[in-house]
Amino acid sequence: MDYHLTLNWPDFIERYWQKRPVVLKRGFANFVDPISPDELAGLAMENEVDSRLVSHLDGKWQVSHGPFESYDHLDETNWSLLVQAVDHWHEPSAALMRPFRALPDWRIDDLMISFSVPGGGVGPHLDQYDVFIIQGTGRRRWRVGEKVPMKQHCPHPDLLQVDPFEGIIDEELEPGDILYIPPGFPHEGYSLENSLNYSVGFRAPSGRELFSGFADYILQRELGSQRYTDPDVPAREHPAEILPQEVDRLREMMQGLMNQPEQFQQWLGEFISQSRHELDVAPPEPPYQPDEIYDALQQGDKLARLGGLRVLKIGDDVFVNGEKIDSPHRPALNALAGNMVLESEHFGDALEDPSFLAMLAALVNSGYWFFEG
């Protein structure tokens, strides 16, 4: 199904993006759920899928992690089932991400879906990333507070909740309504009836994550092996002293590694194109031969991108799930990055190049693209 978002993106970005929370009434007109509660519950029973059950009974919060074998022990109130990265595992749900491509692909993370019974929720909390929460079936009440320093506490180790707050938004959301919340605004939602919610989350790497990822890249590539030298080591009054110019030289050694544009771009493309959650990769059996790919495309078959696969472009370079794709056929690479579904015309004369066909076959045989059934 195609979802159409009724949103003026330039106006939204100017007024709200990373600035203020807002309720977008009927953001999706005539909204239809892409998944049922039973399908969601089935996904949460799979080993590869990240899921949680959160309940609040007698003033106590409880969290259990999937995979789940049964739900027979659950009452009719005060619990929520949350499943992460559903766009990786359920193709109809992945379609819900596409209207948000008005924002950069590299910033979009994944789709979390929750099913909640009356009273179900995860308590007052705040996130360090942007999120659009789409209301599906049912009704849910949401409160959002002002962005002020708030004390976090842990009624349960898996729930980083905050103290009660005064709401600047307090509304019931109905199917198709969307609540946008920037980072740092405390919020709380609880269901008024059985309901589905869809959270489109955005990636916001911390400096710590970036340094850690770059350090791993340096070690893997055996970069930075040049050692510190000081042929004109300066005299000093105290042997224990590290002189300012020595501190500067050491810092410059470290900065020099990041100030190599080609290496930095290669690392960034590999790092930022990797998914944080497992992909539902199913390599075809038997593998496709390049000429079979060619024939299928010429006959009008379409290649669809695997849900959750990150395909990103930096300059002329295209990265797929942590790997750079090498080819001189730039328009065809741009098509790979820009389109969720590909036809023969997207590739142009690149299909006549055996090396490009071999690369495309390798991507399909990795399970990253597949022919639509």
Side-chain angles (χ1 to χ4, degrees):
M1 177 175 179
D2 289 333
Y3 290 94
H4 299 285
L5 187 55
T6 54
L7 181 61
N8 181 328
W9 278 106
D11 179 69
F12 171 81
I13 290 170
E14 181 181 347
R15 297 174 61 187
Y16 299 110
W17 176 252
Q18 300 232 310
K19 303 172 189 72
R20 302 292 297 170
V22 63
V23 172
L24 307 169
K25 298 296 289 183
R26 299 295 183 271
F28 287 109
N30 305 313
F31 184 80
V32 176
D33 290 286
I35 195 170
S36 69
D38 284 346
E39 288 176 298
L40 190 70
L43 277 178
M45 301 174 92
E46 300 291 337
N47 283 322
E48 301 86 358
V49 178
D50 184 6
S51 59
R52 291 177 294 159
L53 264 173
V54 180
S55 61
H56 189 214
L57 300 170
D58 301 324
K60 293 182 179 180
W61 290 93
Q62 293 185 326
V63 181
S64 53
H65 293 267
F68 300 103
E69 295 183 359
S70 170
Y71 304 98
D72 294 341
H73 62 289
L74 296 172
D75 295 326
E76 295 184 2
T77 59
N78 299 324
W79 60 264
S80 292
L81 173 67
L82 302 96
V83 184
Q84 205 75 42
V86 178
D87 54 310
H88 295 200
W89 304 95
H90 189 259
E91 194 176 344
S93 295
L96 199 50
M97 305 286 282
R98 294 176 191 173
F100 295 93
R101 293 189 77 201
L103 294 161
D105 280 353
W106 80 268
R107 290 283 271 116
I108 297 176
D109 199 358
D110 72 331
L111 177 70
M112 185 190 77
I113 302 181
S114 64
F115 172 74
S116 303
V117 296
V122 299
H125 64 285
L126 53 82
D127 300 311
Q128 297 302 331
Y129 53 84
D130 302 87
V131 63
F132 291 87
I133 302 172
I134 305 156
Q135 181 65 46
T137 293
R139 293 179 303 125
R140 193 176 178 103
R141 181 184 174 190
W142 283 96
R143 295 176 60 253
V144 184
E146 189 58 83
K147 185 178 183 178
V148 295
M150 301 207 64
K151 181 181 178 184
Q152 285 193 321
H153 61 276
C154 299
H156 187 282
D158 292 337
L159 296 174
L160 291 176
Q161 295 185 354
V162 295
D163 290 334
F165 56 84
E166 189 173 329
I168 57 174
I169 289 177
D170 189 341
E171 290 201 36
E172 288 183 16
L173 264 59
E174 298 179 334
D177 293 346
I178 302 173
L179 172 61
Y180 164 70
I181 308 172
F185 285 82
H187 51 280
E188 175 184 22
Y190 61 88
S191 284
L192 304 173
E193 56 194 31
N194 288 359
S195 65
L196 284 164
N197 281 89
Y198 306 84
S199 298
V200 179
F202 285 74
R203 181 171 292 198
S206 67
R208 183 186 308 157
E209 290 174 283
L210 295 175
F211 272 110
S212 175
F214 190 62
D216 290 341
Y217 177 86
I218 290 172
L219 294 172
Q220 291 164 3
R221 300 298 174 98
E222 297 185 355
L223 304 176
S225 58
Q226 181 180 356
R227 291 185 176 273
Y228 179 87
T229 60
D230 51 3
D232 299 313
V233 58
R236 65 208 71 201
E237 184 177 351
H238 300 290
E241 187 176 9
I242 304 175
L243 297 180
Q245 59 266 40
E246 294 171 324
V247 173
D248 290 343
R249 285 192 62 193
L250 289 165
R251 184 172 62 248
E252 287 164 5
M253 282 180 66
M254 298 177 70
Q255 291 174 335
L257 289 168
M258 286 188 287
N259 289 336
Q260 299 176 37
E262 287 187 11
Q263 291 288 358
F264 188 83
Q265 182 166 308
Q266 176 75 21
W267 161 73
L268 181 60
E270 293 179 7
F271 174 81
I272 211 71
S273 67
Q274 292 180 49
S275 173
R276 294 193 308 111
H277 298 275
E278 282 199 51
L279 296 167
D280 186 17
V281 175
E285 288 292 343
Y288 283 95
Q289 296 301 313
D291 60 331
E292 293 176 309
I293 302 279
Y294 179 89
D295 291 343
L297 287 169
Q298 297 294 2
Q299 291 165 14
D301 290 352
K302 299 178 181 181
L303 278 174
R305 184 189 297 182
L306 179 68
L309 183 73
R310 296 175 70 79
V311 187
L312 301 173
K313 185 170 178 284
I314 305 178
D316 288 333
D317 296 334
V318 171
F319 295 84
V320 177
N321 195 34
E323 294 184 41
K324 180 180 170 182
I325 303 302
D326 286 315
S327 172
H329 297 282
R330 297 299 171 196
L333 288 183
N334 291 342
L336 278 173
N339 298 277
M340 305 303 292
V341 178
L342 295 156
E343 303 178 56
S344 61
E345 52 261 36
H346 285 117
F347 299 109
D349 59 4
L351 291 180
E352 305 302 326
D353 181 350
S355 66
F356 181 84
L357 263 181
M359 182 207 71
L360 185 59
L363 292 171
V364 173
N365 290 332
S366 294
Y368 292 160
W369 275 266
F370 58 92
F371 283 105
E372 288 187 323

